[in-house]
Amino acid sequence: MPKTRKTKPAEEPPELPPELSHKEYKDELYRLQVELVKLQRDIIAKDRKVLVILEGRDAAGKDGVVKRIVQHLSPRETRVVALGKPSDRQQSEWYFQRYTEHLPAAQELVLFNRSWYNRAGVERVMGFCDNRQYERFMMSVPQFEDMIVGSGIMLMKYYLDISKPEQKKRLDDRRKDPLKQWKISPIDEVAIEHWKDYSKARDAMLGRTHIEAAPWSVVRADSKRHARLNIIRDLLCRIGYRGKPKDGIHPDHRILMRFEPALLQAGVLAK
């Protein structure tokens, strides 16, 4: 009788660092934003093309990350793309068509606040696409991104993950804050109700679209301050530029880590 192989128990997720004080956060953010300005100067000087994709659950903090990245950068060479619901004409187009016109040209840094991965997330969960469209997307996106990278665009993908209690708290705060009413949508209203469906869709998306040319990085984003700082650190770490500190800039791997399937069993991502 063949021996059964014992499965290695999943490791416990790393303990999160303590929360930063307001001063610690502001001081470090300023230091990193100075480095972002240096990075942009180098992107312009060397005709680089950089694309950053930010995905995650509703209220995961994508808007806050974008705001801190672009805050002191030149608006001429920095673009933020946050597309709304597709028009009737766009629904008849090739799925990626409305995204390709926003890809970066030379000297540009472009940030997608949600992207073509809508099809793997909200469209999948809410039934806005059928199974055939979903499978076609999941098979096509690795090829699409390989072509993007092959054209000379640096592509970085971040998935911001938060716990169910934290999402509920943020959505409740959003409803009460008169300055955040524009963020509320019908999709937000059912986000908690579909929590498990979104978890399943997230796991499939990360597992099937994490490719060598365009890997995913996962961000544990219950702490907005840690999430913002570590995404910026990772950007600065992965791109060389003139004036970069000799000892480098590195993200805290308790907060931001390269995706691998073992993370799904280790409890790093919220279920």
Side-chain angles (χ1 to χ4, degrees):
M1 186 174 180
K3 294 182 180 180
T4 56
R5 181 179 295 177
K6 293 183 179 180
T7 57
K8 184 179 178 181
E11 296 180 7
E12 289 294 316
E15 186 175 344
L16 292 171
E19 186 57 278
L20 297 166
S21 69
H22 180 74
K23 185 178 186 307
E24 289 172 325
Y25 167 67
K26 286 295 186 181
D27 288 349
E28 179 64 1
L29 179 61
Y30 176 81
R31 183 182 79 91
L32 294 174
Q33 288 178 328
V34 169
E35 295 301 315
L36 282 172
V37 171
K38 294 182 191 175
L39 171 61
Q40 184 174 53
R41 201 177 298 149
D42 204 72
I43 290 172
I44 295 169
K46 296 180 180 177
D47 287 340
R48 288 178 169 178
K49 298 175 284 187
V50 180
L51 175 62
V52 177
I53 287 177
L54 294 164
E55 291 289 342
R57 296 184 188 267
D58 293 318
K62 298 177 291 296
D63 293 335
V65 171
V66 169
K67 180 179 178 180
R68 273 68 184 186
I69 291 174
V70 306
Q71 193 169 7
H72 299 290
L73 299 183
S74 166
R76 289 187 299 276
E77 290 85 17
T78 308
R79 288 190 288 115
V80 177
V81 180
L83 301 183
K85 181 180 177 181
S87 65
D88 290 342
R89 183 184 188 282
Q90 288 170 332
Q91 287 179 337
S92 71
E93 296 173 347
W94 175 50
Y95 179 73
F96 296 101
Q97 191 167 333
R98 74 182 188 127
Y99 296 101
T100 55
E101 65 178 293
H102 299 286
L103 294 176
Q107 304 185 3
E108 284 188 333
L109 166 64
V110 174
L111 297 100
F112 274 65
N113 186 346
R114 292 199 183 277
S115 66
W116 43 84
Y117 283 105
N118 276 335
R119 175 137 295 179
V122 65
E123 289 189 23
R124 174 64 167 173
V125 172
M126 301 305 296
F128 298 153
C129 67
D130 59 33
N131 288 335
R132 182 190 62 80
Q133 291 171 321
Y134 170 78
E135 285 299 330
R136 170 61 61 184
F137 169 81
M138 295 294 269
M139 289 188 296
S140 299
V141 71
Q143 300 171 334
F144 177 64
E145 291 179 351
D146 187 67
M147 287 190 292
I148 288 175
V149 174
S151 75
I153 295 174
M154 293 192 67
L155 172 58
M156 283 163 277
K157 306 188 299 190
Y158 297 96
Y159 185 88
L160 282 69
D161 197 62
I162 54 174
S163 63
K164 189 174 184 179
E166 182 63 22
Q167 185 187 52
K168 185 176 186 306
K169 175 182 177 297
R170 293 185 188 181
L171 290 174
D172 288 344
D173 291 344
R174 182 179 289 181
R175 295 184 189 99
K176 297 172 187 174
D177 189 338
L179 298 178
K180 295 183 179 178
Q181 297 300 300
W182 63 272
K183 290 188 173 186
I184 300 172
S185 72
I187 302 298
D188 292 341
E189 297 297 330
V190 294
I192 296 294
E193 178 185 337
H194 288 282
W195 177 268
K196 289 187 177 179
D197 296 326
Y198 276 111
S199 295
K200 184 177 178 182
R202 172 204 63 197
D203 294 353
M205 180 189 79
L206 294 174
R208 295 179 64 179
T209 64
H210 176 73
I211 61 173
E212 184 177 353
W216 278 104
S217 292
V218 173
V219 186
R220 300 169 78 188
D222 271 12
S223 166
K224 291 182 179 180
R225 291 176 177 178
H226 279 302
R228 293 165 184 168
L229 295 178
N230 280 285
I231 290 174
I232 297 174
R233 287 174 186 145
D234 191 69
L235 286 173
L236 295 168
C237 176
R238 291 167 63 180
I239 308 175
Y241 59 92
R242 183 182 294 274
K244 190 173 186 175
K246 291 184 179 179
D247 56 351
I249 296 175
H250 305 284
D252 184 335
H253 293 294
R254 295 172 294 178
I255 298 292
L256 187 149
M257 57 205 77
R258 182 69 61 91
F259 172 77
E260 56 184 57
L263 296 181
L264 301 178
Q265 286 76 48
V268 172
L269 297 174
K271 289 295 186 182

